[in-house]
Every structure is written in structure tokens, then in C-alpha cells.
Amino acid sequence: MTDEPKRSNRADVFARMMDVVRKRGMATRETVALLMVSGGSDSTALAYLAADMVAAGDVGAVAMLHVNHKLRGAASDGDAAFVEKLAQHLGIPLFMCEVDVAAMVQSSGGNMEAIARAERYRAAREALESTCLHMGFPFGAGRIFTAHTADDRVENFYMRSIVGTGPGGFRSMDHSVMIEGCRVCRPLLESGRDELRAFLELRDDAVRDESGALWREDATNADTDRFRAFVRHEIVPRAKERNPRLLETLTRTMNLIADEDDMLAAQARELLLEHVRPLATSPSEGFLVSPALGEAAMPLARRVIERVLSLALGFDARVENASVEACLAGIGRSGYVANIQGDLAVSYNKQGLRIEPMPAFRARRKKE
């Protein structure tokens, strides 16, 4: 292979990412980006591309974060060693931390993936704060870059198709979201995994691990007992047989859904501000929803209630559709009481619909 195809591939991948970065306002020369790098192919490609961004003057500075969840023994340690070697090669400052997720699950219960995710983003915020401080950027100029791809987005689309989803769910993934008070950006969301792997394979300067691999493979990704792996290896390949341009087609579809979802979400935010107030200073204490919400169009009212429940239940909680419907069913029905997920009480009187922790509801009823 001549050098020209290599340069072309590298330029195409970089151009596609930068098109997303510029359209979505993810970064400028005044931005510092923290890259979340696991060592897999997607995040390894993100590291090289971010280094190219720095060289081109498209971002002010970058740093990397690797979180070792201690779930795969020597393989996890190998991931960390590879990322450290990658950071040294690219000249990117690296933050590394270890979190014994299995021990946390054993001591506190809860979902392993949710705990691991929460710990990653907690570490990312701390690393971003440190990076901004030491590089002289205001924290508001900081971004967290993750390596989610078009493949991840399509997998989410099919996963939600199978289990169901709420308003806007079929946009699948946002290009950027707020997590832990930080703006989290996904600059590779319109790039495919195969394309990124080809990008790595064509680089003459690529770092390799001790076995000569250009990235680290997580063996659990092949376990089709896991839902995402089942969709990745069983559902998506069959769909690609019918439409080889599946990633491009569904990305376009999901972007159209996202545009309409943004419009409805903006209208719902206005209704939220107009018709919902907190019962106390903390969202966990509950909310009072005005009776007037019952006059709103059902799709908008549903979005308002979904947002209220999301605030009441906490960031990582999945709002169940049955909970939303139970709340909507209570609006305008005096004496209505229901117990929904997370042990929340839903009740209605002339003041409106109250959504609050069950203990608070019981204590209030005793006083009455």
C-alpha cells in the first residue's frame, strides 16, 4: 500500500470528527478536553485524533484519564499499561486511578455497570478540574471527550427497540450531555468502529501492547449473554446484511429524531418551569405539579412528568413508563394515591399532584 491511501484515510477520519466537533460546538482553541481512554479501539483512536487536534490548533489542550475497574485481573492491568504507553507516545498528560467496583457492589449492592459508570465520571470531573487548574483554563472551558461511536448509537437504538423507551429515546445518544456538572462530548458519534480500526491499522506511528496489538480487546464484549454483546453480534450484523450502509442510514434517522426531540424538550422545559415547583430545597424531597398541567398536550405533559421523576429518583435511575402513566392518571383526581418505583408516593388534591418519598407522604398524612 502506498502512503497516499494512508494519508487519505487519516484525513477522512479526522475531517469527519472535526465536522461533528465544529457543528456541535464541542471545542475551540480556548477549550481543554479530558479524554476517557480505556485502551479499546475506539478510545485509542480518539487519543490519536485528539493529538492531531492539538497539532492543528483545533483545541487548546488535552489530557487523558484511565480508570482501572479491577474486574478482569491481569487483563485490566494490561489495559492500564497500554494506555500509559500510549499517553507517553503522544505526549499527553495522563491521570490513572483504580476503583474496585466488585468490592463496592458486594458492600453496597446495586448495579455493577451503573456503579462503574458513576465512578468513572466522578474521577473524570476531578481530573478535568485539575487539568484546567494546572493548564490555566477556567473550568467552564473544560470538556470530557468519550469515544462513543455510530456503532454504539445503533446498538442503543436496537436495545431500546427491544425493551422499550420513553420520549426521545430513539435519538439513542446525544452528541453532548451534562454529567457531574461537566459537558461530556462524543466527537466520534458519527464515525464507525471499523473505520476507526482501519485508521489505527494504517498508522505507521501506532503504539502496540506486549502482544503486538494496536488496541486492547475486552473479552466480555464477545459474551452474548450480555444484552449489548447480543445486539452487537447477533442483531446488527443481520441488519447490515439487508442494508450495508446501516450506520449511515440510522445515524441520519436518529439525527432527525433528535431535532424533533429537541423542539419538544424545549416546550416541555417551559411547562416544567411554569407548572412544577420543588417541595423543599432538595429534589429528593419531592415536587408539586400544578393542576394546569392536565390541560397540556399529552406528549408534552408526559415529558414534564418524566423529567420530574428523573430529578426525584436521581441521575442514574431509569424512569419506568408505568411510573409516568401513574402520575398522569392522577392529575385532576382528588384523593388519588399511588406508590411508584423508588418508593415514591403520588397523590392529588386541589393544590396539584404531589410526588414525594413515601415516608414523607405518610408523615404528612398522620399530621392531617
Side-chain angles (χ1 to χ4, degrees):
M1 179 176 291
T2 66
D3 289 340
E4 187 57 37
K6 292 183 180 182
R7 286 195 294 269
S8 177
N9 173 273
R10 182 167 176 172
D12 289 347
V13 172
F14 183 76
R16 181 173 287 105
M17 182 190 72
M18 287 308 304
D19 185 56
V20 173
V21 168
R22 293 187 180 112
K23 280 183 179 178
R24 306 286 173 171
M26 293 181 178
T28 69
R29 294 184 180 188
E30 307 302 318
T31 302
V32 58
L34 178 76
L35 318 174
M36 298 184 74
V37 181
S38 67
S41 60
D42 303 340
S43 65
T44 299
L46 176 64
Y48 286 109
L49 288 163
D52 290 344
M53 285 180 69
V54 174
D58 291 315
V59 66
V62 298
M64 287 167 52
L65 168 69
H66 177 78
V67 180
N68 184 346
H69 293 126
K70 310 295 289 184
L71 291 172
R72 294 163 37 245
S76 291
D77 295 335
D79 294 347
F82 173 73
V83 172
E84 186 172 15
K85 184 177 180 181
L86 177 65
Q88 290 174 351
H89 174 72
L90 295 174
I92 298 177
L94 173 65
F95 294 86
M96 301 185 74
C97 67
E98 294 184 353
V99 180
D100 193 338
V101 174
M104 295 178 70
V105 171
Q106 187 173 12
S107 64
S108 63
N111 178 272
M112 182 174 291
E113 289 186 5
I115 290 174
R117 181 175 183 274
E119 291 299 316
R120 278 199 305 276
Y121 282 109
R122 189 171 295 115
R125 179 186 172 88
E126 293 175 1
L128 183 59
E129 288 176 338
S130 177
T131 300
C132 289
L133 177 65
H134 288 92
M135 292 187 175
F137 289 83
F139 183 67
R143 303 287 186 267
I144 295 172
F145 275 18
T146 68
H148 293 97
T149 67
D151 293 80
D152 294 308
R153 197 177 183 194
V154 166
E155 289 160 13
N156 271 15
F157 181 91
Y158 282 111
M159 290 167 73
R160 293 177 181 182
S161 298
I162 293 169
V163 302
T165 186
F170 285 120
R171 69 187 296 158
S172 182
M173 277 187 180
D174 293 326
H175 286 80
S176 64
V177 291
M178 294 298 294
I179 301 177
E180 287 283 335
C182 305
R183 187 175 175 194
V184 178
C185 301
R186 296 160 177 154
L188 301 181
L189 205 56
E190 297 188 17
S191 300
R193 185 171 295 122
D194 289 343
E195 175 187 31
L196 294 172
R197 290 184 172 185
F199 166 80
L200 293 174
E201 289 167 350
L202 290 172
R203 291 189 72 103
D204 295 325
D205 61 341
V207 168
R208 297 178 182 271
D209 71 1
E210 71 281 356
S211 66
L214 293 167
W215 62 83
R216 301 284 296 180
E217 288 286 1
D218 183 344
T220 62
N221 288 335
D223 180 4
T224 53
D225 285 342
R226 294 171 178 258
F227 189 23
R228 180 175 293 277
F230 168 75
V231 170
R232 178 177 297 179
H233 297 293
E234 302 289 342
I235 303 297
V236 174
R238 295 294 300 275
K240 284 183 176 179
E241 290 175 6
R242 288 298 184 105
N243 181 7
R245 302 183 69 177
L246 180 72
L247 294 187
E248 179 184 341
T249 301
L250 274 186
T251 292
R252 184 168 59 248
T253 299
M254 290 183 287
N255 285 344
L256 291 172
I257 292 171
D259 288 343
E260 297 187 0
D261 182 51
D262 287 340
M263 180 187 70
L264 291 171
Q267 295 177 19
R269 277 194 296 273
E270 293 179 5
L271 289 175
L272 180 73
L273 293 172
E274 183 179 355
H275 296 303
V276 180
R277 67 175 178 84
L279 292 172
T281 57
S282 170
S284 62
E285 297 299 315
F287 296 87
L288 179 66
V289 180
S290 164
L293 184 65
E295 300 172 9
M298 183 58 70
L300 292 174
R302 185 177 289 113
R303 284 171 176 267
V304 172
I305 294 298
E306 193 276 338
R307 180 58 179 158
V308 170
L309 291 177
S310 179
L311 292 169
L313 292 167
F315 171 72
D316 284 323
R318 180 178 183 274
V319 177
E320 297 172 1
N321 183 64
S323 299
V324 175
E325 296 303 322
C327 292
L328 292 170
I331 296 177
R333 295 173 57 187
S334 293
Y336 178 88
V337 177
N339 186 353
I340 61 173
Q341 71 180 97
D343 205 26
L344 289 178
V346 179
S347 59
Y348 187 87
N349 59 28
K350 62 182 180 180
Q351 292 182 319
L353 188 80
R354 295 177 69 101
I355 302 172
E356 60 191 327
M358 184 59 73
F361 168 77
R362 289 173 178 152
R364 184 169 55 80
R365 290 295 289 265
K366 283 183 180 179
K367 292 178 181 179
E368 294 174 355

